[in-house]
Amino acid sequence: MNYKQIVEQKVKEIQEKAKQGKDIYVLGIESSCDETSIAVIKNGREVLSNQIASQIDIHTRFGGVVPEVASRNHILCINNVLEQSLKTANLSLEQIDAIAVTYGAGLSGALMVGVNFAKGLALSRNLPLVAVNHIKGHISANYIQNKNLKPPFVCLVVSGGHTAILRVDDYLNHTLIGQTLDDAIGEAFDKVARVVGLGYPGGPKIDKEAKNGQYNLHFVKKSDLDKTYNVSYSGLKTAVINYLHKMEQSHEMINVADVACSFEHEAVDMLVEKTVRAAKEYNINIVAMAGGVAANSYLRETMSKECEKAGLELTYPALVLCTDNAAMIAAEGYNNLILGESINYDLKVSPNPSLKL
Ligand code: KG4
Ligand code: ZN
């Protein structure tokens, strides 16, 4: 039997095992940006290990992620990350049922390292390979955090490349309710952090600095977009940059904490209002959050308050599951495997840097 035939048989066995309530172990691999991560997840929701090798210190020197440097570092550490992950999970490769890997969106060279490593493992061990959409992985982090969570729910997706409000219809499908018309919120955080002198990584630095400031600067006025579920960040970003230039030209002191706090309020408030309004309009009483910006403390706090006021249940992943990690990829891979989706029987999957949600 060739790889395809063996794996087709294995997938059927796995699905049967899951029906009988037997344990399924999925190994997840994530390398779409500057984190090399490998995780082992039991039954799609229980994290046995979630090893993450971050390259933050390396890229800080350059003020942002350098794609070529990221790929090279993934190559250097991916074997060690696998070993550590299996060791922490107290499992050997023989006990793994399937491999899940991020194939997009992300940096082309970085994705290539994870995808090829996954293909090698899958082929050498005759294991099913599930190709995972990184953003769908972010959404699935919520299933790990909240073991009782089931679709439908409304999910606010906020990462470095995405800003969207979705209705998660079931484990495989979602409906787009609203999205950014230009920049992603994470991009805006990173850009504002850079121009205000906080540096890289922008999001966490703004988050920290904002705590010492006040919301006393008003960068954008309410717009027609407020009635829709769409958002825009390029106007806010430009307004902050213009404000900083004006202050510099007139030799006035800039209060970085106030800039951070005011930007954060204006970036976050509109998303919270729209997410809560969407849940009400779509008659859904569960709200979830996903992506790196969901780690933002002001967003977590404001969304909690507003959901409570509106009588909505709110769930969001722990910090380590918000930013890039392989546990969420394994969780999303498990859902696909059990439902027979995205299984790459011919091992021909290739990285898709601009993969859509
Ligand atoms: O989901 P993620 O780790 O990678 C992508 O898939 O893009 O998101 C990265 C983004 C970056 O823009 C980063 O600045 C932002 O998430 N981020 C934050 C925080 N932690 C990470 N933004 C605001 N507050 C944070 N605490
Ligand atoms: Zn991400």
Side-chain angles (χ1 to χ4, degrees):
M1 285 210 288
N2 61 24
Y3 170 80
K4 185 166 183 267
Q5 291 161 332
I6 298 170
V7 166
E8 274 170 351
Q9 183 57 35
K10 272 201 179 160
V11 168
K12 283 190 197 130
E13 284 166 19
I14 292 168
Q15 291 172 348
E16 193 48 44
K17 256 169 77 179
K19 269 191 209 137
Q20 293 167 2
K22 293 191 183 145
D23 291 338
I24 309 289
Y25 299 98
V26 175
L27 183 101
I29 302 176
E30 157 63 34
S31 71
S32 66
C33 192
D34 59 342
E35 260 101 27
T36 323
S37 179
I38 299 191
V40 181
I41 296 283
K42 183 173 154 187
N43 303 329
R45 300 210 177 204
E46 194 184 325
V47 181
L48 300 188
S49 65
N50 188 20
Q51 212 65 38
I52 304 172
S54 172
Q55 303 177 11
I56 278 197
D57 294 345
I58 299 167
H59 298 284
T60 297
R61 273 189 278 153
F62 306 104
V65 178
V66 182
E68 183 61 22
V69 175
S71 318
R72 285 171 190 273
N73 279 285
H74 285 310
I75 294 173
L76 290 177
C77 72
I78 199 159
N79 254 317
N80 273 337
V81 176
L82 172 68
E83 260 173 39
Q84 283 304 317
S85 188
L86 287 169
K87 199 168 156 198
T88 310
N90 204 13
L91 291 174
S92 68
L93 261 183
E94 282 68 39
Q95 290 163 284
I96 298 295
D97 291 290
I99 313 270
V101 65
T102 303
Y103 77 108
L107 302 169
S108 173
L111 287 166
M112 210 173 289
V113 178
V115 167
N116 286 325
F117 190 75
K119 281 189 199 176
L121 276 181
L123 187 62
S124 64
R125 304 278 162 168
N126 284 325
L127 291 174
L129 178 68
V130 188
V132 171
N133 179 320
H134 179 79
I135 296 295
K136 290 191 176 184
H138 273 301
I139 298 170
S140 282
N142 285 286
Y143 299 125
I144 300 175
Q145 188 66 39
N146 181 344
K147 307 273 184 278
N148 300 318
L149 179 66
K150 282 193 192 106
F153 55 88
V154 164
C155 189
L156 172 65
V157 178
V158 276
S159 72
H162 287 79
T163 309
I165 301 170
L166 311 174
R167 179 190 194 277
V168 177
D169 303 312
D170 54 45
Y171 289 105
L172 297 179
N173 302 292
H174 65 263
T175 309
L176 183 68
I177 298 175
Q179 63 183 328
T180 178
L181 300 177
D182 39 57
D183 302 341
I185 185 171
E187 241 178 298
F189 266 89
D190 293 339
K191 177 77 185 185
V192 167
R194 201 157 43 234
V195 291
V196 83
L198 289 172
Y200 168 88
K205 294 219 165 144
I206 296 242
D207 192 344
K208 194 163 168 230
E209 191 67 26
K211 293 197 170 102
N212 306 319
Q214 287 181 357
Y215 179 21
N216 53 13
L217 299 164
H218 298 276
F219 296 114
V220 284
K221 293 197 183 73
K222 292 212 172 252
S223 76
D224 287 346
L225 275 181
D226 292 343
K227 296 180 208 107
T228 72
Y229 293 113
N230 293 327
V231 288
S232 157
Y233 284 105
S234 78
L236 173 58
K237 191 181 74 182
T238 311
V240 177
I241 296 171
N242 288 346
Y243 167 80
L244 294 172
H245 283 165
K246 213 177 80 201
M247 295 293 279
E248 260 171 42
Q249 274 164 4
S250 54
H251 303 290
E252 286 178 75
M253 283 283 286
I254 294 165
N255 185 322
V256 175
D258 287 351
V259 173
C261 180
S262 303
F263 160 77
E264 190 178 69
H265 272 72
E266 295 197 344
V268 164
D269 288 350
M270 58 177 159
L271 279 177
V272 172
E273 186 273 323
K274 282 167 198 270
T275 307
V276 170
R277 179 153 50 88
K280 284 190 203 156
E281 189 184 317
Y282 284 72
N283 223 351
I284 290 178
N285 63 357
I286 308 172
V287 172
M289 298 203 283
V293 184
N296 182 265
S297 45
Y298 176 68
L299 170 60
R300 291 160 92 95
E301 195 184 296
T302 317
M303 190 67 97
S304 301
K305 274 191 209 147
E306 294 307 313
C307 282
E308 199 182 329
K309 262 196 233 161
L312 300 169
E313 185 189 319
L314 173 66
T315 190
Y316 49 74
L319 290 180
V320 69
L321 295 171
C322 279
T323 44
D324 290 347
N325 67 89
M328 66 184 197
I329 302 303
E332 171 65 14
Y334 173 86
N335 288 341
N336 284 274
L337 182 70
I338 297 305
L339 296 167
E341 276 293 312
S342 310
I343 303 163
N344 202 254
Y345 294 107
D346 58 7
L347 290 182
K348 279 197 180 135
V349 62
S350 47
N352 183 347
S354 51
L355 184 68
K356 299 277 172 293
L357 234 173

